């Protein structure tokens, strides 16, 4: 049976997970996941506009400036590439609809998918949060955006690019963004708003430039040449198609960023605000990305696009505006996109890591979940930044970033499939508990579309591509094995920590809830011994009055 309580801040109805009538009751404390916080220690600074900008800022990274050439090469034809740029937003819409239903069930829980998964799969106890925590934290770096920022900033100011300068500037911008996020949530959100507004204007400029190309208002001689025989040369390899979908999907990563700050939305109905923000941002960015891809195809010969790698935007500017304008304007646009992306990722991922910490499954969980001293998730930001700096200072081979992108996508696909299926699990659970349906319900069709998409992208990469060569120089399915290996490590870690050691030590691991400064709450995991331990005999001077009367004690060690 589930109950609800009235939030003291803005009188929002909040459902307490599974049991209990009050957030402070024992039933609520023992419910799956982190405890509900009666007063949000991070504040409520996220408006509808800010929510839209948070989503847009993470989506507008380096993807639209670098991925289209790789996608066209993978698909083999202009027509199939454009189909993917239309298809993937609909798949993202399916995922967004599922998130909307979850948000309507748990409107006062930040963290996004980690919250939704823990509610749907409370058994085996702690398994899902531990698995998600390890993968989410290890893959939470934002090295790609910071490196691209450094490269284009040096290029814009005619500074010779050396490994030392690139790494120094990349680490510097990551640390600068981290300082903003740590010192002030309000300021960092305003910075995201301003930068994202400029980024959206940049995309509008690119789209309008493409329209000008099609109208014959630029030096491009035949803007329709690439549109003849649209599907000629389309790939028959499901492996190449799957990798191309992954690359396009990479460009849209960020449509769910608002759900990471759901409890910080300044609204009496945060789920509805997040829903509107998702629709607005996804619709806007999907339209602009498609128009920009049409612009690329209209201005740049097909073979040049295929061989452009990450330089498709540079080729577009050179063909339309000339080399001099491209050299000045393009680097500024891309650097701003990277800057906004880094900020948005740090804001969102910090909330995810804090929510994981509040479950009690990380070392020093109550310290990581604390918002001292600035009322911000300082330690989660530092964890994310530390991982980014580690990747920056240990640069991999030429194709390692493509590998890391694919690697990060594979475990997430498994979580996404589980998330879609869990919709049906939670619906049935609510029925059995005689609870009303969620205020917002996703259509069953879009749920199955999401499941089918995840299964396709999980299975097809194992099919050998033509010539046995994927988008990296080593074995094409290495990232699949590495992703599954990461999840296997999570399973082994879980078994040793939660099952094996307690069995050998004669104790069980239980959750206890601690109140944190600033109104925060977090769980901690403690050992509760099942069998009383015999206290060794002591001298009269060593024996306390309690132990002298009670020869057996229960040992509970953190």
């Amino acid at each position: 049976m589930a109950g609800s309580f009235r939030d003291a801040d803005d009188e929002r109805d909040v459902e307490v997970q599974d049991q209990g009538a009050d957030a402070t009751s024992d039933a609520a404390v023992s419910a799956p996941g982190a405890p509900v916080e009666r007063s949000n220690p991070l504040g409520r600074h996220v408006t509808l506009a800010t929510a839209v900008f948070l989503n847009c800022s993470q989506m507008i990274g380096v993807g639209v400036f670098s991925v289209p050439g790789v996608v066209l090469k993978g698909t083999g034809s202009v027509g199939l590439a454009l189909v993917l740029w239309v298809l993937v937003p609909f798949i993202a819409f399916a995922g967004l609809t599922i998130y909307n239903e979850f948000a309507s069930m748990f409107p006062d829980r930040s963290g996004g998918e980690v919250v939704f998964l823990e509610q749907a799969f409370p058994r085996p106890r702690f398994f899902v949060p531990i698995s998600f925590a390890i993968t989410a934290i290890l893959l939470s770096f934002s090295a790609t955006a910071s490196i691209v920022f450094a490269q284009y900033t040096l290029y814009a100011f005619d500074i010779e690019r050396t490994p030392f300068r690139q790494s120094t500037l990349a680490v510097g911008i990551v640390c600068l963004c981290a300082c903003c996020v740590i010192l002030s949530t309000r300021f960092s959100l305003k910075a995201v708003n301003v930068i994202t507004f400029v980024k959206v204007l940049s995309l509008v400029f690119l789209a309008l430039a493409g329209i000008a190309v099609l109208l014959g208002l630029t030096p491009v001689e035949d803007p329709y040449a690439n549109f003849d025989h649209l599907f000629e040369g389309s790939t028959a390899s499901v492996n190449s198609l799957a990798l191309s979908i992954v690359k396009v999907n990479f460009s849209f990563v960020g449509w769910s960023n608002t759900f990471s700050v759901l409890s910080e939305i300044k609204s009496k109905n945060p789920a509805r605000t997040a829903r509107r923000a998702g629709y607005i941002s996804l619709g806007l960015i999907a339209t602009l990305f498609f128009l920009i891809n049409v612009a690329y195809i209209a201005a740049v010969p097909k073979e040049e696009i295929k061989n452009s790698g990450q330089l498709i935007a540079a080729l577009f500017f050179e063909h339309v505006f000339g080399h001099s304008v491209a050299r000045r304007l393009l680097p500024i646009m891309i650097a701003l996109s990277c800057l906004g992306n880094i900020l948005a990722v740090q804001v969102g991922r910090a909330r995810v890591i804090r929510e994981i910490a509040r479950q009690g499954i990380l070392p020093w969980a109550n310290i990581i979940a604390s918002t001292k001293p600035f009322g911000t998730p300082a330690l989660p930001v530092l964890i994310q930044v530390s991982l980014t700096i580690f990747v920056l200072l240990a640069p991999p081979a030429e194709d390692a970033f493509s590998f890391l992108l694919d690697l990060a996508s594979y475990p997430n696909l498994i979580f996404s499939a589980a998330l879609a299926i869990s919709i049906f699990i939670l619906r049935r659970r609510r029925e059995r508990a005689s609870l009303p349906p969620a205020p917002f319900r996703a259509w069953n069709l879009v749920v199955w579309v999401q499941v089918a998409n995840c299964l396709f992208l999980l299975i097809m990469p194992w099919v050998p591509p033509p010539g046995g060569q994927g988008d990296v120089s080593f074995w094409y399915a290495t990232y699949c094995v590495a992703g599954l290996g990461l999840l296997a490590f999570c399973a082994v870690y879980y078994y040793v920590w939660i099952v094996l050691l307690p069995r050998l030590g004669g104790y069980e691991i239980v959750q206890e809830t601690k109140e944190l400064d600033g109104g925060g709450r977090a769980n901690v995991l403690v050992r509760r011994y099942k069998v009383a331990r015999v206290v060794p005999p002591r001298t009269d001077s060593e024996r306390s009055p309690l132990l002298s009367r009670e020869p057996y004690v229960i040992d509970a060690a953190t």
Side-chain angles (χ1 to χ4, degrees):
M1 182 175 64
S4 63
F5 69 91
R6 185 71 67 177
D7 193 323
D9 283 349
D10 57 6
E11 298 186 346
R12 298 195 300 217
D13 288 326
V14 181
E15 180 182 313
V16 177
Q17 312 124 11
D18 280 352
Q19 304 183 45
D22 188 83
T24 59
S25 68
D26 292 339
V29 169
S30 63
V36 173
E37 294 177 311
R38 209 180 263 281
S39 176
N40 193 334
L42 297 174
R44 306 193 191 276
H45 307 300
V46 179
T47 62
L48 174 61
T50 300
V52 171
F53 284 140
L54 275 172
N55 289 345
C56 289
S57 189
Q58 189 168 348
M59 284 190 280
I60 309 173
V62 298
V64 72
F65 299 110
S66 59
V67 164
V70 179
V71 173
L72 181 58
K73 185 176 182 179
T75 57
S77 71
V78 168
L80 188 53
L82 290 178
V83 166
L84 293 190
W85 287 98
V86 174
L87 176 64
V88 170
F90 279 102
I91 296 173
F93 175 79
L96 174 61
T97 306
I98 294 170
Y99 273 60
N100 288 335
E101 181 167 347
F102 279 118
S104 71
M105 295 182 191
F106 314 107
D108 260 32
R109 292 289 303 276
S110 291
E113 56 265 52
V114 62
V115 175
F116 310 149
L117 286 169
E118 72 192 5
Q119 297 297 326
F121 302 104
R123 298 289 183 272
R125 196 172 55 122
F126 308 133
F127 177 70
V128 168
I130 286 175
S131 300
F132 188 89
I134 294 175
T135 55
I137 292 175
L138 291 181
L139 301 176
S140 66
F141 52 81
S142 54
T144 305
S146 55
I147 284 180
V148 174
F149 173 88
Q151 290 175 343
Y152 277 93
T153 300
L154 293 172
Y155 179 77
F157 290 96
D158 292 323
I159 300 175
E160 181 183 358
R161 181 165 62 91
T162 64
F164 175 77
R165 288 172 179 169
Q166 175 180 300
S167 298
T168 302
L169 187 55
V171 171
I173 194 61
V174 167
C175 293
L176 178 63
C177 291
C179 288
C180 294
V181 177
I182 289 173
L183 293 177
S184 172
T185 296
R186 189 187 298 272
F187 176 79
S188 58
L189 292 177
K190 286 183 177 179
V192 169
N193 290 351
V194 173
I195 295 173
T196 306
F197 181 74
V198 176
K199 289 163 63 173
V200 171
L201 289 182
S202 300
L203 294 189
V204 171
F205 171 76
L206 280 176
L208 292 177
I211 294 174
V213 171
L214 292 173
L215 294 176
L217 303 178
T218 66
V220 177
E221 295 181 359
D222 188 2
Y224 296 95
N226 287 338
F227 294 97
D228 293 334
H229 310 291
L230 274 177
F231 292 92
E232 182 179 356
S234 296
T235 182
S237 168
V238 290
N239 184 289
S240 298
L241 186 60
L243 286 176
S244 297
I245 293 175
V246 168
K247 297 299 188 295
V248 177
N249 185 68
F250 168 71
S251 300
F252 286 95
V253 168
W255 54 261
S256 62
N257 201 23
T258 298
F259 296 96
S260 299
V261 296
L262 189 61
S263 66
E264 298 174 53
I265 293 179
K266 191 178 180 180
S267 169
K268 290 187 177 182
N269 193 333
R272 182 175 60 189
T273 301
R275 183 163 65 247
R276 290 175 177 174
Y279 293 150
I280 293 171
S281 57
L282 184 57
L284 174 64
I285 298 304
T287 302
L288 290 175
F289 280 6
F290 180 80
L291 292 176
I292 290 171
N293 274 272
V294 171
Y296 291 156
I297 294 168
V300 184
K302 181 178 176 180
E303 292 305 315
E304 286 190 41
I305 298 176
K306 286 184 176 181
N307 298 320
S308 64
Q310 298 178 351
L311 300 177
I312 177 61
L315 290 177
F316 173 80
F317 269 80
E318 289 182 7
H319 279 80
V320 177
F321 302 108
H323 180 73
S324 59
V325 175
R327 184 171 180 81
R328 296 300 177 188
L329 185 58
L330 179 64
I332 295 174
M333 290 174 56
I334 295 181
L336 272 177
S337 293
C338 295
L339 177 61
N341 179 270
I342 295 168
L343 269 174
V345 168
Q346 288 187 359
V347 169
R349 299 307 293 181
R351 271 66 180 175
V352 173
I353 295 174
R354 179 177 183 268
E355 192 66 23
I356 291 171
R358 291 204 314 115
Q359 296 170 336
I361 59 177
L362 295 180
W364 310 291
N366 56 334
I367 299 176
I368 297 175
S370 173
T371 57
K372 296 177 64 176
F374 304 108
T376 59
L379 278 179
V381 174
L382 292 177
I383 291 172
Q384 197 266 350
V385 169
S386 299
L387 288 167
T388 300
I389 292 176
F390 173 78
V391 174
L392 288 173
L393 298 182
E398 182 66 24
D399 53 7
F401 279 122
S402 290
F403 171 74
L404 289 173
L405 189 155
D406 295 336
L407 170 62
S409 72
Y410 207 76
N412 287 333
L413 285 169
I414 296 176
F415 288 126
S416 295
L419 200 63
I421 294 172
S422 65
I423 278 287
F424 300 114
I425 296 174
L426 287 178
R427 285 177 182 175
R428 189 174 181 183
R429 192 176 298 164
R430 291 175 72 91
E431 268 183 48
R432 289 179 173 178
S434 300
L435 290 172
F440 178 90
R441 283 174 66 93
W443 301 295
N444 289 340
L445 176 61
V446 300
V447 178
W448 287 117
V449 165
Q450 178 73 346
V451 173
N453 170 66
C454 293
L455 292 178
F456 175 81
L457 295 179
L458 286 169
I459 296 172
M460 290 304 106
W462 293 93
V463 179
Q469 184 67 48
D471 62 348
V472 291
S473 60
F474 37 89
W475 185 47
Y476 60 89
T478 301
Y479 78 93
C480 302
V481 175
L484 293 176
L486 180 58
L487 293 178
F489 170 78
C490 296
V492 171
Y493 178 82
Y494 165 82
Y495 178 78
V496 171
W497 183 34
I498 302 298
V499 179
L500 181 61
L501 292 181
R503 183 180 299 168
L504 297 176
Y507 61 86
E508 63 177 344
I509 294 180
V510 297
Q511 284 182 333
E512 292 183 359
T513 299
K514 286 192 173 182
E515 302 294 331
L516 308 177
D517 294 335
R521 307 175 79 207
N523 287 332
V524 292
L525 301 187
V526 298
R527 301 174 190 169
R528 179 176 294 167
Y529 285 91
K530 300 176 182 179
V531 181
R533 287 184 169 184
V534 179
V535 178
R538 300 183 182 184
T539 63
D540 291 339
S541 61
E542 295 174 329
R543 188 174 295 155
S544 67
L546 174 63
L547 295 183
S548 63
R549 295 191 299 268
E550 177 59 67
Y552 299 102
V553 297
I554 301 298
D555 182 11
T558 301

